[in-house]
Amino acid sequence: MGLPEDLIEAFNAAAGGPHEGARAAHAKGVVCEGIFTATPEAAAVTRAAHFQGEQLRATVRFSNGSGDPTVHDGRRDGRGMAVKLYLPDGSRTDIVSVTLPSFLARTPEDLLEFTRLRAPDPVTGEPDMEKIGAYLGAHPEALPAIQGAIGKGPPHSYAQCTYNSIHAYALVNAGGARRYARYRWLPATGEAELDDADAMSRSPGYLREEMAERLGREPVVFELVLRLADDGDDVNDPTTAWPEGEREEVRAGRLEITGLDQTRERDGDVLVFDPTRITDGIELSEDPILLARPGAYSVSVARRTTAAAQPLAP
C-alpha cells in the first residue's frame, strides 16, 4: 500500500476498526446550510471570487475529531468546521478548520507513526501510553495540538467554538501582491464549554441536537478572520501556532448558518471538504500535511462508498 492507504488504515485502527460508510476521521457531525458575505477589506488582500462581497451559498459541516461515529459528544476531542462555498462561476472552494491551535505532525510520515501508536492494544483495549510518551518526547511539536484537544472541556455547542485553519495559504490581490495567511472562524456568541460530568450526562448526540434546536430559534453566525503571517513565520509547518495578538488580522467576512442541510449526504451523495480545493487568488503552501490530504481523502471516499478509487466529489 502507498502512504494514503497506510494513513487511512491507521486512522481506522485508532478508531477501533473501520466503520462502514463513515469518514476515517471526523466521522460524526452535522451538515448545515448558510450564506457567506465577504467584507470590503478582504477584497484588498485577495482577488479570490469568494472575497469580493457577493453573497454566496455555503454548506457547513461541524464534527468531532474521532473516526468512530458512535463516540459520545461529551468526550474531550478536537472539533472541526468545514465550509464549502459555491462560487459565481459554478465552481467551489473549501475552508477546513479545527478547534486545535495547530496540528500534531509536520509530515505525513510522522502522522502515520503517531496514529499507529494510538491504536488500542487487542488485550488491554487501550493504546500503549509508554510508546506514545516516547513519541511525544521525540516530537515535542505535537504537544500543543494534543493539549488543545484534551485541555479544554467539551463544548456547549458547535456554534460556540473558535476554529482555526492549521495550514497557511498565499493570498494574491488584484495587483499581484502575495501575503500568507491562516483562517480563523470566531463565533458571534462567544465560546462556551461544559465540565466533563455535565457533558457525559447529556445525550450521546447532544451537539447535533443542540445545533438543530438553536437553528430553530435563530441563525448561527461566525466571523472569518485572516491572520497574516509575519516575516520569519514558517508557512509550511502546521505544528507552529502563530502567537496570539501578535499578527495583523483582517476581518474578512460573515457566515450566517440558517438551518440544517437536508440535501447533502443523502441518497448516496458524497460530500468532501478538501483544503487544497482553492481558486484564483489563493495559492497552496508547500506544507507536506496539506499536500498529502487529497490522496488520503480519495482513499477514504472510495472505502466509505465501497467503490473503486474515484476523483474527489465537489
Side-chain angles (χ1 to χ4, degrees):
M1 292 191 297
L3 183 58
E5 291 83 1
D6 289 341
L7 284 168
I8 298 304
E9 289 282 350
F11 276 110
N12 285 337
H19 298 273
E20 184 176 354
R23 291 167 169 83
H26 292 273
K28 183 180 182 182
V30 57
V31 181
C32 306
E33 60 186 5
I35 297 293
F36 175 76
T37 308
T39 64
E41 292 79 10
V45 179
T46 173
R47 61 176 183 252
H50 49 300
F51 288 120
Q52 302 314 302
E54 182 175 344
Q55 282 196 344
L56 301 175
R57 184 167 65 92
T59 299
V60 184
R61 184 175 188 266
F62 297 98
S63 61
N64 300 334
S66 172
D68 182 355
T70 69
V71 71
H72 195 292
D73 286 352
R75 294 282 298 274
R76 294 197 177 205
D77 196 359
R79 316 290 163 163
M81 177 180 175
V83 179
K84 185 178 297 295
L85 300 175
Y86 300 84
L87 304 182
D89 66 358
S91 63
R92 296 156 174 78
T93 192
D94 298 341
I95 299 175
V96 178
S97 54
V98 293
T99 53
L100 310 181
S102 57
F103 198 53
L104 53 81
R106 288 194 177 106
T107 69
E109 292 78 13
D110 286 348
L111 176 61
L112 177 60
E113 180 183 355
F114 181 70
T115 306
R116 282 174 168 167
L117 292 174
R118 293 174 53 225
D121 182 273
V123 176
T124 66
E126 299 292 336
D128 187 326
M129 297 308 298
E130 184 175 341
K131 291 181 179 179
I132 289 178
Y135 176 90
L136 295 177
H139 297 273
E141 71 275 8
L143 291 172
I146 293 171
Q147 181 62 25
I150 64 175
K152 297 181 67 174
H156 176 268
S157 170
Y158 284 133
Q160 293 187 274
C161 298
T162 295
Y163 299 88
N164 306 296
S165 73
I166 57 174
H167 307 298
Y169 298 83
L171 307 183
V172 186
N173 68 13
R178 300 168 76 255
R179 186 81 182 268
Y180 275 93
R182 287 175 173 167
Y183 303 109
R184 170 171 283 183
W185 292 104
L186 301 176
T189 53
E191 296 185 59
E193 60 185 72
L194 304 173
D195 65 52
D196 295 295
D198 185 1
M200 293 302 293
S201 72
R202 301 189 179 203
S203 163
Y206 82 85
L207 287 173
R208 187 188 193 285
E209 294 162 6
E210 194 279 340
M211 181 63 75
E213 190 274 334
R214 182 184 292 259
L215 288 171
R217 301 193 316 266
E218 60 189 5
V220 168
V221 176
F222 283 87
E223 180 180 35
L224 180 64
V225 172
L226 303 175
R227 305 186 73 216
L228 303 180
D230 271 359
D231 292 341
D233 286 332
D234 187 346
V235 298
N236 301 317
D237 183 357
T239 67
T240 301
W242 298 345
E244 292 291 328
E246 298 182 19
R247 297 294 178 271
E248 180 183 353
E249 295 185 342
V250 175
R251 304 288 166 165
R254 182 179 189 269
L255 175 66
E256 181 175 317
I257 301 170
T258 54
L260 301 185
D261 192 320
Q262 306 297 336
T263 64
R264 300 305 308 257
E265 301 214 313
R266 295 174 180 271
D267 302 321
D269 174 57
V270 179
L271 179 60
V272 177
F273 296 91
D274 177 2
T276 69
R277 185 180 288 118
I278 55 174
T279 189
D280 178 63
I282 300 177
E283 299 173 356
L284 302 179
S285 68
E286 296 180 2
D287 177 345
I289 295 291
L290 174 62
L291 300 181
R293 292 179 76 155
Y297 289 171
S298 186
V299 172
S300 180
V301 167
R303 294 190 178 192
R304 65 186 168 104
T305 57
T306 64
Q310 55 185 284
L312 293 179

